[in-house]
Amino acid sequence: MVQKGPRPLVLCGPSGSGKSTLLKRLLKEFPDKFGFSISHTTRNPRPGEKDGVHYHFTSKSDMKAAIERGEFIETATFSGNMYGTSKKAVDDVRLTGKICILDIDIEGVKQIKNTDLEPLLVFVMPPSMEVLETRLRARNTESEECLRKRLATAHRELEYGNQPDNFHIVIMNDTLDKAYSDLREFIAQNTQEEQQDSAADGKNEKDN
Ligand SMILES: Nc1ncnc2c1ncn2[C@@H]1O[C@H](COP(=O)(O)OP(=O)(O)OP(=O)(O)O)[C@@H](O)[C@H]1O
Ligand SMILES: Nc1nc2c(ncn2[C@@H]2O[C@H](COP(=O)(O)O)[C@@H](O)[C@H]2O)c(=O)[nH]1
């Protein structure tokens, strides 16, 4: 891995909670500050999704071989498909000096907590299971079977997200504008502290 850059930002939450919506907005507003970690997945692309932009779409055998070669920071199986963050995906963003944003599930979060990446962990909470289901259905990207699997998984994810200390912040995505402004505020506070810390480190080095 390349040398440590700014702390990555991890967005986690049930399928349909609004992670992609929030991160797209962040990337659009601050293209010079944030970069997206492009995950690998064995699921089929949705209409409009591009290989190498939204995901690296791959086969199970290729993904398994890449895992064997030690190319991934974390991997998970979600709704019958494999997903994973490669070391290269994170390095590619870090090399630009931008803050790397990861959109990953709770299995990935558990693994990434055991790395030296020290990510800022954000859980995106839907207002209720009913609203989550309505939003997922309205997105119209999943088969009925896949939708049911995702909703069943959401119960476990909400339990994990609700446990104190699993995340640095839980953002309620009821009104999108409010959720986005909460996310921006959290990032501003935490990246400011980091900048102040590194400035103070620099000063201490000079003084010594
Ligand atoms: N606050 C909101 N109010 C109404 N609709 C919303 C809100 N946030 C997101 N949505 C809509 O809900 C749907 C799910 O959002 P999104 O795709 O961002 O979820 P996600 O967490 O990235 O899901 P997945 O994990 O499946 O990729 C989208 O159609 C999105 O436009
Ligand atoms: N552990 C990981 N989870 C990932 C990764 N990329 C995406 N995801 C999560 O998968 C589900 C489903 O995503 P979808 O695009 O099929 O709707 C969602 O919770 C994502 O956060 C990854 O690299 N690692």
Side-chain angles (χ1 to χ4, degrees):
M1 303 259 307
V2 293
Q3 72 176 64
K4 257 179 134 180
R7 293 173 79 180
L9 179 73
V10 168
L11 295 189
C12 181
S15 174
S17 59
K19 303 176 297 292
S20 322
T21 307
L22 288 166
L23 76 82
K24 270 184 211 150
R25 206 160 157 178
L26 211 50
L27 290 164
K28 194 171 175 199
E29 186 174 359
F30 304 104
D32 299 332
K33 186 167 177 185
F34 298 99
F36 181 53
S37 158
I38 305 168
S39 293
H40 282 64
T41 183
T42 63
R43 81 154 163 74
N44 291 324
R46 293 177 186 140
E49 282 184 335
K50 289 196 183 80
D51 188 35
V53 176
H54 300 92
Y55 278 107
H56 297 291
F57 294 100
T58 185
S59 65
K60 277 194 180 161
S61 56
D62 283 357
M63 180 123 180
K64 279 181 188 163
I67 294 170
E68 285 284 304
R69 291 195 296 272
E71 291 178 13
F72 284 86
I73 297 170
E74 62 76 31
T75 58
T77 297
F78 184 93
S79 190
N81 292 300
M82 294 170 77
Y83 294 82
T85 307
S86 69
K87 291 174 185 168
K88 184 175 184 310
V90 173
D91 283 351
D92 282 350
V93 178
R94 288 185 149 199
L95 282 168
T96 65
K98 296 179 187 178
I99 295 174
C100 182
I101 307 184
L102 291 85
D103 173 346
I104 59 175
D105 81 332
I106 55 173
E107 296 314 318
V109 167
K110 287 175 194 169
Q111 292 165 55
I112 225 154
K113 280 183 181 192
N114 292 323
T115 67
D116 63 358
L117 287 172
E118 295 177 49
L120 294 166
L121 298 169
V122 176
F123 190 83
V124 182
M125 180 72 73
S128 67
M129 277 302 294
E130 290 71 28
V131 171
L132 182 71
E133 180 167 353
T134 306
R135 286 181 186 169
L136 250 190
R137 283 190 185 282
R139 193 174 72 183
N140 206 20
T141 51
E142 313 305 319
S143 65
E144 186 60 28
E145 188 197 349
C146 186
L147 197 125
R148 286 187 189 281
K149 273 194 199 162
R150 283 170 185 250
L151 291 172
T153 306
H155 289 283
R156 280 202 305 278
E157 294 172 310
L158 292 180
E159 213 172 282
Y160 185 75
N162 272 320
Q163 272 168 40
D165 301 334
N166 276 344
F167 290 87
H168 294 111
I169 187 171
V170 174
I171 291 179
M172 169 61 64
N173 183 14
D174 191 349
T175 311
L176 186 59
D177 284 348
K178 170 76 169 78
Y180 183 65
S181 101
D182 289 350
L183 179 62
R184 273 186 56 163
E185 194 185 317
F186 169 76
I187 293 167
Q189 272 170 6
N190 286 278
T191 53
Q192 229 168 45
E193 271 168 28
E194 205 170 72
Q195 279 159 8
Q196 278 163 4
D197 285 350
S198 54
D201 286 348
K203 185 176 181 304
N204 288 341
E205 268 166 32
K206 264 194 211 155
D207 293 347
N208 289 332

